[in-house]
Structure formats: C-alpha cells, structure tokens
C-alpha cells in the first residue's frame, strides 16, 4: 500500500516561471491537503480539496497560486510567475473522511527553489 | 483563528532520560491534537494524537496529556533513544474542520 506520493522531490525554477507540484493520495483517501513549510518553521495550511471540489482555500495566497484535485489523476498545486519568496517545502497530505479518527498521512514533500 | 505555541524550540536530552515538549492553543473549540515527528528531508509522520474527551493517552514510550481548562497539551518521551532525534510538531484542529494549525516545532537531540 503506497503512501502519499509527491513529485518531483526537488524542483528548481527561475523567477517568472511556473511550478507544478503533484500529489497522489493514499489508496482509499478522498481528502487532500497542501501545506507549505519555510526553513526552520512549522507547516502552514494552504488548501483542502476533495475530488473536483475546493473545500477550504483560506491559506492560499490570493494571486499566482491555484490547486485542483480532478476526478482522475493527482492533485496539482500550481504556482505561476514564481518569486524567490516561494522557495519552500510543499507537503501534501491525505486522509479518509473524518480526519479526527485517522489523522493525516503526509508525503515526502517537494522542495521548490526559485533562482 | 487558532494559534498554537510550542516550547522549547530546541531540546537536548541525554540518552535514556525523558523529554517533554509543551504546546498551548487559543481556540477553546479545538478538540483534536496530533503530534508529528519530522526527520531530515522527510514529511511529518503522525506519532500520537488525542481528542478532547480524553486527558491522557500512551503508546509505549510516548504519551500525550491534555489540559482543556488551561488549553495546553504535552508530549512525553521516556527512555529516549538516538533515533528519537528529530523535529516534533504539535497541532490542533476542530472536529468537522479538517485544517490543522501547527506549532513552530521542537528540534530534539538525543545525546548518546
């Protein structure tokens, strides 16, 4: 039973380019969450999605960031026109319904470096 | 919104001794409190969690205590081992709201 799969593990982008981060949840998990972690800091919530629905995007920056979880395929976090401040580790997590019964399972993250 | 504070930020403990990490939360409606361990270059891993209808939970060398009145909860690791060295995060959430608010982390170092 594979865990949460994130790719790529490392991504380097020049300022102004687009970054696409992919996340495949654990089998049987229908809820996906994206978190951002800056160096030496905790994880900050970005967005919570179910299949074809954004449930809570209160942590997403208002511009340049978007997320989707289509009916088929992985969840995608998209960052347009990246800037140096976007450099961080981006973690995806998944859970079955009722988080508080099971907790999240995190992937290994995508480390984005903007040069 | 919820605010979670975590102390200490770094902790060094002699192997075999106990380690305690403390967190406070601000929203009295929060009722789910997980702890995560993050090793270098990896994602956080859930190690133990507690719900607000319980005051204490134990799993082998790890225990968590919760004081709802004071709005604080603690992680206790006994008989520490070198493999316990990692960054530990506490978090808080409300049932029905799947968003976790994390503390800023504690870097635990076990000294052989």
């Amino acid at each position: 039973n594979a865990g949460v799969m994130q790719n790529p593990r490392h991504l380097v982008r020049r300022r102004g380019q687009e970054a696409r981060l992919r996340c495949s949840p654990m089998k049987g998990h229908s809820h996906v969450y994206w978190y951002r972690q800056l160096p030496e800091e905790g994880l900050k919530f970005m967005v919570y999605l179910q299949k074809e629905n954004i449930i809570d995007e209160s942590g997403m920056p208002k511009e340049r960031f978007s997320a989707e979880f289509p009916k088929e395929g992985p969840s995608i976090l998209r960052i347009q026109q990246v800037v140096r401040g976007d450099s961080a580790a981006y973690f995806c997590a998944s859970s079955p319904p009722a988080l508080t019964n099971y907790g999240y399972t995190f992937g290994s993250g995508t480390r984005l470096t903007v040069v | 919104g919820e605010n979670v504070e975590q102390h200490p930020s770094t902790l060094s403990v002699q192997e075999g001794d106990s380690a305690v990490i403390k967190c406070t939360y601000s929203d009295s409606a929060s009722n789910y409190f997980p702890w995560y361990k993050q090793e270098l270059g990896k994602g956080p891993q859930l190690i133990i969690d507690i719900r607000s209808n319980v005051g204490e939970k134990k799993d082998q060398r790890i225990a968590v205590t919760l004081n709802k009145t004071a709005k604080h909860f603690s992680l206790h690791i006994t008989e520490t081992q070198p493999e316990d060295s990692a960054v530990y995060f506490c978090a808080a959430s409300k049932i029905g709201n799947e968003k976790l608010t994390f503390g800023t982390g504690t870097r635990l170092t076990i000294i052989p």
Side-chain angles (χ1 to χ4, degrees):
Chain A
N1 184 16
V4 177
M5 303 301 293
Q6 286 190 252
N7 63 81
R9 289 294 307 274
H10 300 275
L11 182 61
V12 179
R13 284 288 178 265
R14 295 188 183 278
R15 281 180 294 171
Q17 291 184 320
E18 178 179 288
R20 281 187 177 236
L21 288 63
R22 288 177 290 279
C23 169
S24 296
M26 281 186 69
K27 187 175 180 180
H29 286 192
S30 56
H31 297 205
V32 166
Y33 316 81
W34 286 93
Y35 282 77
R36 177 164 61 177
Q37 184 177 35
L38 294 171
E40 303 299 320
E41 292 189 14
L43 292 92
K44 302 293 186 187
F45 170 81
M46 299 182 75
V47 63
Y48 160 38
L49 310 103
Q50 296 177 21
K51 285 282 187 182
E52 299 184 282
N53 280 309
I54 297 174
I55 307 302
D56 182 350
E57 55 182 348
S58 58
M60 288 279 272
K62 298 224 183 310
E63 297 177 350
R64 303 188 296 108
F65 284 72
S66 63
E68 63 177 6
F69 188 16
K71 188 176 179 181
E72 302 291 337
S75 175
I76 305 287
L77 179 68
R78 182 180 176 203
I79 311 172
Q80 295 179 291
Q81 299 173 357
V82 296
V83 301
R84 288 230 170 98
D86 297 332
S87 295
Y90 292 83
F91 289 96
C92 169
S94 71
S95 76
L99 159 71
T100 53
N101 288 334
Y102 301 103
Y104 289 165
T105 300
F106 278 93
S108 296
T110 293
R111 281 147 187 85
L112 172 66
T113 302
V114 179
V115 296
Chain B
E2 175 68 280
N3 182 49
V4 177
E5 295 191 355
Q6 183 172 347
H7 300 280
S9 57
T10 60
L11 179 61
S12 294
V13 173
Q14 207 71 35
E15 183 178 352
D17 288 350
S18 295
V20 180
I21 302 170
K22 300 181 179 182
C23 288
T24 60
Y25 60 99
S26 61
D27 188 345
S28 56
S30 289
N31 48 20
Y32 174 65
F33 307 94
W35 286 88
Y36 287 84
K37 175 183 181 182
Q38 186 176 27
E39 295 175 321
L40 192 63
K42 297 185 179 179
Q45 178 186 11
L46 179 69
I47 56 171
I48 195 167
D49 57 12
I50 191 168
R51 286 194 268 181
S52 60
N53 58 347
V54 175
E56 183 174 358
K57 184 176 178 181
K58 191 173 180 181
D59 182 4
Q60 300 183 350
R61 297 186 297 108
I62 294 173
V64 57
T65 58
L66 171 64
N67 183 327
K68 286 170 54 180
T69 304
K71 290 189 285 188
H72 69 68
F73 55 114
S74 300
L75 177 71
H76 304 253
I77 307 173
T78 59
E79 301 172 16
T80 53
Q81 301 168 2
E83 53 265 36
D84 294 330
S85 294
V87 179
Y88 291 81
F89 292 97
C90 62
S93 178
K94 286 177 274 199
I95 291 176
N97 180 345
E98 315 300 43
K99 175 172 68 177
L100 286 175
T101 300
F102 282 84
T104 49
T106 296
R107 183 175 300 279
L108 175 63
T109 302
I110 306 302
I111 305 165

